Amino acid sequence: MKRYRAMVALLAAAVLIPVGSLAATAPARADAGPPGKYVADRDTKIDVMGEWAHPDDDTSIIGPCGVWHQRYGTKCGIIMVTRGEGGGNSAGTELGPDLGLRRENEDRVAHYRSGTVDIFNLDRVDFFYNQSAPLTQYFWDSEETLRRVTRVIRTTQPEIYVGFTPTLAAGHGNHQQAGRLIWEGVLAAADPTRFPEQLTGPNALSTWQVKKVFSGGSTAGAGGTTTAANCTTGFIPTPGTNLDTVAGVWTGYDSPYKWPAGNLQGKPAGSAKIWQQVADEGRAAYPTQSRVMYKGDSAPACSRFGMTQSFVPFQPNTAPDGTANAKAGLDDAILFGATKPDPGGLPKGTIEYLTFSRFLNVAGEPFQATLHLKSGDGWLSPGQVALTVPPGWTVSAPQQVGWVSDSRETTVTFTVTPSTTAPVNQNAKISALYTSQAKTGYTDNVVRIVSPIEGRFQRWGNWQEYDQWLADTAPQATRLGRSAAIQSMAVGTTLALPVVVHNWSNQTQSGEVGLTLPANFTADAASKPYAGLAPGAETTVTFEVTNTDAALPATQNVSIPITTSYSAPAGSGSETLTLSLVPATAVANASTTPVVDGTASPGEYSGPTLDLGRVWQGAASCTGVDDCGVSATGEGSTAKVSWSDDALYFFVHIRDDYQSYAVTPEECVGHWQADSVEILIDPRGTASQVLKDTANTFKLGIFPFTNDPANRNGNGANGPCWERDADNHQGYSTGPLSTGNAPGVQVASTATWVGSNETTTPHAYTGGGYDLEVKIPLADLPAAVDPAKLGLNITPYDNDDTSAAGTTTLRHIDMSTRLGWSALGSVQSDPYRWGQASLPGYTPPADRPTTPAPPNVSNPNLNGVLSPQTIAQSARNDVPISGRIPAPAGNRLQVRNVELNSSSVDLDISAGGSGTARLYLWTGLVGAIPVYTTSCSPAADPAPDYGLTACAVTDGGYPPWSPDMSGHVVKQAASPITSKTKHLSIPITAAQRAKLLQDGRLLLSYETTKGEVQALDLKFRR
């Protein structure tokens, strides 16, 4: 094993020195301690760990890690929760696990040159774009994912952790949950009661305390530079608004990678690329995700990170006199106290941090602040602790502290009283300075001042769940802010608006809650009272709010201030509700059952016309009604909807002036990468409320034409195709690849493909656009519809000329303008923002369930034992594949005599139990396979740089990938293993043997019947 376990002496009992005692020598250390404490060796140890949800989320650390690795010997690693199997593929036809394999390599290519070669994939399913952490928890099995994160942390023992914010501001629900896993993983790894099975047995790990966390911190401020080293020197965070400590690193240093002769940028051959150039090339190394080869010339930058938690002393950005602290501006300042000693002089690994008796506090009311101390090496001499608080606040006097040991935490508690005029709804910083002889240690933390009485709109759905997570799991993350007040309502309807009134003060309070309503809104009362609210208690005041608009206004989002007064002392607090107005319609019962022929015949669609001419993304990509269907006068893109029997019928008229790339049947997914229309239906109108978002909905993406001259999809030569995406049962819906998820759906399209994806062929639509007619059986929806209120939206996607610069071939790539009936940001993932529809006269069958079935994502995730790159990494650093349980000693696979013979590769093996071996005969570099083609000479630009520099404007194509990972997998095999298995043989051809003779190896994973894992990287005997 590449890990080792070191015996360390621990104190059997702590010796406490009374406060004020100044003994001249440190107490004696005990000589004995518990054996077997795990310590990661350098092959396994990670200094800076990043964590993200998908490959390409993590590119912000490419340049910084390159600089830290080159200049300071820092080793970066990445925990990647998914391989991105649920995303689109602009570079090939791989989907599901096959796409995951390709995207894993893209991520490794992006980071490889920066020295970040350890990417720990957790094998969680990448299901679809959403904005719900609870939905992500459902798909990821949150407890198992945290277990794997914890094992990786405990095994690699990172000092610094960076990644997404855990807040709803992260957008994608996978991103939110990845951010939460940072906070949860840091807590769990240090907690012996969490996953205790990892701490016992022959593979026992130890608890581990990450030292610094950068997750959601702000980098706002002024000063510093982008043109010189130590680029954060002179930087001061924005006063009053950014209380996070900011660390930066300059990416203008020369990297080891050289410009090849003939490079498109005209750089001298053999001159060094700066690290920002390497980072920008890496950031573009994801062709499957619509990124294109980087052909620019990068200027130096200053990458900055906002710290949100620290357990060690650090350097603040500002000195006590308010000037910039030069030490905090150094390019290695992020490492201080963690991988490098803090300049204050305390030993590396010294623990120092502040906690508070409560985070939310009221002006004028005291609370407790506690400094926690633990030496990083031996004893620290007696010293003093002093706290600094904001102007006008008071704090108890500095305190003497005795000897501080490295085996037991010392705490010092102060009483802090905020100023009676402290501004509310703001964070306030409190800092502590610990002095021990000539050594000092600085730390700080924040509290938030709130109004004595808060009247907050009652949170629901994802907002309520997030606030509960803060309270129950990660209170420290509250410094990033609680959830926003958000709701939606249909135009012209009435909404119950509950306000929760909470008393944070130490006095009983009375007052009233009032609303300030915008134009075209009324309420049952302008204000309502509450009385006798005891300290810590809360009550709910509810208003009935009515919108009086007759039609959807141009601005769908409105603000409603909520003001809550209180009595002791008299005052008031406020917050603002953002209310989204969504369109509404009544779907008419067709007097004549529509015939799906692409024509709206009399009697088929007697209901109102829905305006689809509103842009919700990509407004800069289209101009005028003939381009993107937008029209203020009604001649743009529109739709009509009817119901008949047990089906919904749609007639959609799209204005468009340019035909996009034509998809093949294999590409009939990812509708946003070509001209398309998506129909979105929430049958119960409650998907957001029950925390399932689009997983409880039906979403049909329709391509109006295809590149299918042989009619393989069965919809006519070059006819339409359709798929379901990001819903209750996503996947192909037509042709030989259909998953059977949309039976009975019918589509007629008037669009005729121009017959070529070459821009040299005119791509205008005949008639200036196309019409779609669609039948959706209501039985296809995940539940019976609520005829009084179902969610509905129709969203056209308009892609124009997507050819790369200097080429004439359209690409299957996302460059779309997105429109909709309800055109609010991210409506594809937020059912509460869809329009509302009723079906007068319709009654669903009595036996149709009203609760949606569990969601089916169709494409599963890749099992890490099937990834040669993951196997090679695990064999090298001994971190179990996917953070799973390592195969036990009694059932590990033993391999002897791996022989490369004339017609086979032969292995002598033994195992103590049963499982499955996956074997990959591999040739070439395993860590980074080129993702782009280039005309640059490989001799002038060798791997791993090769394939990332352009020597012609037409460079940037895609090397063949499947089925052998660009030729690196010479052959693969799988074999069941039992205790009786003694020999494995893999037949090979003469050509395969010749490849393996050059630089071949055998990558082998072993998975026991209990799911335990083992990885081997084996050389051949010849």
Side-chain angles (χ1 to χ4, degrees):
M1 295 180 67
K2 292 183 181 289
R3 302 191 301 250
Y4 66 86
R5 303 187 185 282
M7 299 289 290
V8 295
L10 300 178
L11 288 177
V15 181
L16 301 181
I17 302 297
V19 172
S21 174
L22 298 175
T25 58
R29 290 176 59 93
D31 293 326
K37 184 176 177 64
Y38 168 79
V39 178
D41 71 4
R42 198 55 191 161
D43 287 339
T44 305
K45 171 78 174 178
I46 296 294
D47 298 314
V48 178
M49 182 73 83
E51 183 188 300
W52 288 276
H54 315 100
D56 77 10
D57 290 342
D58 52 359
T59 57
S60 61
I61 66 165
I62 296 174
C65 284
V67 173
W68 296 329
H69 180 69
Q70 180 187 45
R71 297 182 65 82
Y72 313 119
T74 301
K75 186 178 176 184
C76 289
I78 295 169
I79 294 176
M80 189 57 61
V81 186
T82 81
R83 286 182 177 81
E85 296 94 336
N89 186 353
S90 298
T93 59
E94 298 86 5
L95 294 173
D98 291 336
L99 177 58
L101 197 66
R102 188 167 188 170
R103 291 194 68 183
E104 176 185 343
N105 176 67
E106 289 177 343
D107 207 36
R108 292 185 183 278
V109 169
H111 291 274
Y112 193 87
R113 293 177 296 168
S114 71
T116 305
V117 297
D118 291 310
I119 299 180
F120 305 96
N121 289 280
L122 299 185
D123 295 359
R124 302 290 84 187
V125 65
D126 177 35
F127 48 101
F128 50 71
Y129 181 79
N130 65 92
Q131 296 212 75
S132 172
L135 181 62
T136 302
Q137 295 161 21
Y138 170 87
F139 277 110
W140 282 1
D141 184 352
S142 57
E143 187 72 358
E144 174 59 23
T145 303
L146 180 58
R147 185 187 309 274
R148 296 184 183 195
V149 168
T150 303
R151 181 179 290 279
V152 174
I153 294 174
R154 286 173 172 171
T155 306
T156 62
Q157 299 184 332
E159 308 291 341
I160 299 166
Y161 215 144
V162 300
F164 281 130
T165 177
T167 69
L168 280 73
H172 197 321
N174 290 183
H175 296 177
Q176 296 173 35
Q177 186 61 20
R180 291 193 192 189
L181 285 168
I182 293 173
W183 295 82
E184 294 175 5
V186 169
L187 291 170
D191 185 351
T193 69
R194 294 295 277 145
F195 312 117
E197 75 281 357
Q198 298 177 359
L199 307 175
T200 60
N203 292 305
L205 303 169
S206 300
T207 57
W208 179 253
Q209 179 62 70
V210 173
K211 308 306 187 300
K212 291 182 175 181
V213 180
F214 295 78
S215 168
S218 172
T219 58
T225 183
T226 60
T227 60
N230 300 316
C231 62
T232 310
T233 300
F235 175 84
I236 295 179
T238 304
T241 60
N242 182 13
L243 303 183
D244 300 328
T245 294
V246 177
V249 57
W250 191 54
T251 56
Y253 294 106
D254 286 347
S255 79
Y257 303 99
K258 310 298 183 183
W259 287 100
N263 65 84
L264 198 62
Q265 292 87 342
K267 295 290 186 177
S271 62
K273 294 180 178 180
I274 64 170
W275 274 113
Q276 188 59 46
Q277 181 74 32
V278 174
D280 289 337
E281 291 170 357
R283 190 175 292 111
Y286 302 88
T288 65
Q289 302 309 294
S290 296
R291 302 198 187 184
V292 296
M293 186 183 204
Y294 183 68
K295 300 174 183 177
D297 181 8
S298 298
C302 186
S303 298
R304 292 192 173 123
F305 303 85
M307 188 168 68
T308 46
Q309 192 167 26
S310 178
F311 296 93
V312 294
F314 57 88
Q315 292 296 307
N317 293 114
T318 54
D321 62 0
T323 61
N325 175 12
K327 293 176 182 177
L330 301 177
D331 288 331
D332 56 348
I334 196 172
L335 309 176
F336 293 161
T339 68
K340 302 183 72 171
D342 181 74
L346 294 175
K348 186 177 75 171
T350 294
I351 299 297
E352 181 184 12
Y353 63 100
L354 270 172
T355 60
F356 306 111
S357 56
R358 67 180 191 179
F359 177 80
L360 300 175
N361 290 282
V362 174
E365 297 186 5
F367 62 93
Q368 279 66 54
T370 299
L371 183 69
H372 303 252
L373 292 167
K374 186 178 177 183
S375 173
D377 181 22
W379 291 85
L380 290 172
S381 299
Q384 178 181 275
V385 175
L387 261 57
T388 299
V389 296
W393 295 34
T394 61
V395 61
S396 48
Q399 297 188 41
Q400 299 297 309
V401 61
W403 292 96
V404 175
S405 82
D406 60 2
S407 63
R408 183 173 179 178
E409 194 174 77
T410 296
T411 60
V412 186
T413 299
F414 298 79
T415 297
V416 177
T417 304
S419 165
T420 57
T421 59
V424 299
N425 299 326
Q426 292 186 21
N427 288 351
K429 180 184 290 186
I430 298 172
S431 65
L433 185 67
Y434 166 56
T435 304
S436 174
Q437 295 183 335
K439 301 172 182 177
T440 62
Y442 171 94
T443 190
D444 62 43
N445 203 347
V446 300
V447 295
R448 188 169 183 83
I449 300 300
V450 295
S451 174
I453 290 290
E454 277 193 319
R456 301 178 79 221
F457 169 71
Q458 187 175 66
R459 299 323 194 242
W460 61 282
N462 293 327
W463 298 269
Q464 180 187 45
E465 190 275 342
Y466 173 71
D467 283 354
Q468 198 64 53
W469 177 79
L470 288 176
D472 295 344
T473 304
Q476 171 70 12
T478 311
R479 68 180 289 155
L480 303 175
R482 293 174 288 173
S483 68
I486 292 175
Q487 183 56 285
S488 65
M489 67 183 297
V491 64
T493 63
T494 297
L495 172 75
L497 196 158
V499 178
V500 178
V501 181
H502 185 96
N503 186 356
W504 292 105
S505 75
N506 57 14
Q507 301 183 62
T508 298
Q509 301 277 8
S510 299
E512 63 179 23
V513 180
L515 305 180
T516 302
L517 297 174
N520 299 325
F521 282 86
T522 63
D524 58 340
S527 62
K528 295 187 177 183
Y530 70 93
L533 193 63
E538 64 184 29
T539 188
T540 301
V541 175
T542 301
F543 296 84
E544 295 293 322
V545 175
T546 300
N547 172 253
T548 59
D549 284 300
L552 191 66
T555 300
Q556 288 185 243
N557 285 332
V558 298
S559 297
I560 300 180
I562 302 170
T563 302
T564 306
S565 66
Y566 48 88
S567 56
S572 65
S574 65
E575 81 161 359
T576 299
L577 168 67
T578 298
L579 184 65
S580 298
L581 281 172
V582 301
T585 192
V587 178
N589 184 5
S591 58
T592 300
T593 298
V595 176
V596 182
D597 56 6
T599 301
S601 300
E604 292 183 338
Y605 301 95
S606 58
T609 298
L610 311 183
D611 179 12
L612 307 184
R614 291 170 174 262
V615 179
W616 53 275
Q617 276 187 15
S621 300
C622 66
T623 55
V625 61
D626 289 328
D627 185 11
C628 60
V630 175
S631 172
T633 56
E635 75 273 14
S637 296
T638 59
K640 284 179 167 291
V641 190
S642 294
W643 70 270
S644 182
D645 299 328
D646 196 41
L648 286 173
Y649 292 84
F650 297 82
F651 184 80
V652 182
H653 173 66
I654 299 298
R655 292 289 296 269
D656 196 353
D657 67 344
Y658 194 95
Q659 278 195 7
S660 75
Y661 175 91
V663 302
T664 64
E666 292 76 17
E667 295 166 328
C668 188
V669 288
H671 56 270
W672 52 90
Q673 296 179 124
D675 285 353
S676 63
V677 173
E678 187 174 38
I679 298 172
L680 310 88
I681 304 171
D682 177 4
R684 307 302 299 173
T686 60
S688 295
Q689 289 84 336
V690 299
L691 300 177
K692 283 297 176 64
D693 287 18
T694 60
N696 272 11
T697 73
F698 177 97
K699 298 175 61 186
L700 190 73
I702 304 164
F703 298 80
F705 57 87
T706 58
N707 181 356
D708 183 22
N711 190 22
R712 290 185 292 132
N713 256 324
N715 303 318
N718 300 331
C721 70
W722 51 96
E723 45 88 47
R724 288 177 61 178
D725 176 75
D727 71 350
N728 188 257
H729 188 175
Q730 70 174 21
Y732 292 97
S733 301
T734 61
L737 296 175
S738 173
T739 58
N741 59 5
V745 166
Q746 298 177 29
V747 175
S749 172
T750 64
T752 301
W753 182 39
V754 299
S756 173
N757 282 322
E758 291 297 315
T759 60
T760 52
T761 297
H763 272 67
Y765 279 101
T766 301
Y770 59 92
D771 295 333
L772 293 176
E773 192 166 18
V774 184
K775 174 187 177 181
I776 299 177
L778 290 172
D780 286 0
L781 306 186
V785 301
D786 179 351
K789 188 191 72 172
L790 65 151
L792 176 67
N793 210 3
I794 302 171
T795 56
Y797 290 75
D798 175 28
N799 281 263
D800 288 336
D801 185 349
T802 58
S803 59
T807 70
T808 60
T809 303
L810 295 177
R811 294 173 297 172
H812 188 211
I813 190 171
D814 179 19
M815 294 174 60
S816 62
T817 297
R818 306 180 179 191
L819 300 92
W821 181 42
S822 183
L824 292 157
S826 293
V827 289
Q828 82 269 39
S829 62
D830 290 332
Y832 78 96
R833 286 181 161 177
W834 299 353
Q836 291 184 14
S838 62
L839 273 65
Y842 174 77
T843 301
D847 60 349
R848 187 165 294 165
T850 56
T851 300
N856 180 343
V857 298
S858 294
N859 289 323
N861 52 291
L862 179 70
N863 184 341
V865 299
L866 301 175
S867 167
Q869 292 177 310
T870 291
I871 296 168
Q873 175 182 302
S874 179
R876 171 175 49 79
N877 63 22
D878 209 32
V879 181
I881 291 171
S882 314
R884 291 160 61 179
I885 300 172
N891 192 14
R892 290 181 69 83
L893 193 66
Q894 304 295 323
V895 181
R896 302 175 299 281
N897 301 325
V898 184
E899 295 184 349
L900 176 58
N901 296 315
S902 60
S903 60
S904 63
V905 172
D906 295 281
L907 299 78
D908 293 327
I909 68 168
S910 62
S914 299
T916 301
R918 277 90 172 189
L919 305 94
Y920 297 87
L921 300 179
W922 185 275
T923 183
L925 181 67
V926 72
I929 302 169
V931 297
Y932 291 119
T933 58
T934 178
S935 57
C936 299
S937 165
D941 193 25
D945 199 57
Y946 183 72
L948 293 167
T949 310
C951 287
V953 70
T954 53
D955 287 351
Y958 314 133
W961 174 260
S962 294
D964 56 6
M965 299 178 68
S966 295
H968 289 270
V969 178
V970 176
K971 191 166 185 180
Q972 64 187 69
S975 177
I977 301 294
T978 71
S979 59
K980 296 181 180 180
T981 307
K982 302 301 179 185
H983 185 78
L984 295 176
S985 182
I986 308 171
I988 57 173
T989 66
Q992 290 170 336
R993 184 175 187 275
K995 286 185 177 180
L996 295 172
L997 279 171
Q998 296 177 26
D999 55 0
R1001 62 215 289 186
L1002 171 63
L1003 300 173
L1004 186 155
S1005 69
Y1006 176 56
E1007 185 176 24
T1008 74
T1009 54
K1010 295 181 179 179
E1012 302 143 332
V1013 290
Q1014 179 186 356
L1016 298 169
D1017 185 348
L1018 303 165
K1019 302 296 184 182
F1020 298 127
R1021 288 182 56 188
R1022 300 183 179 87

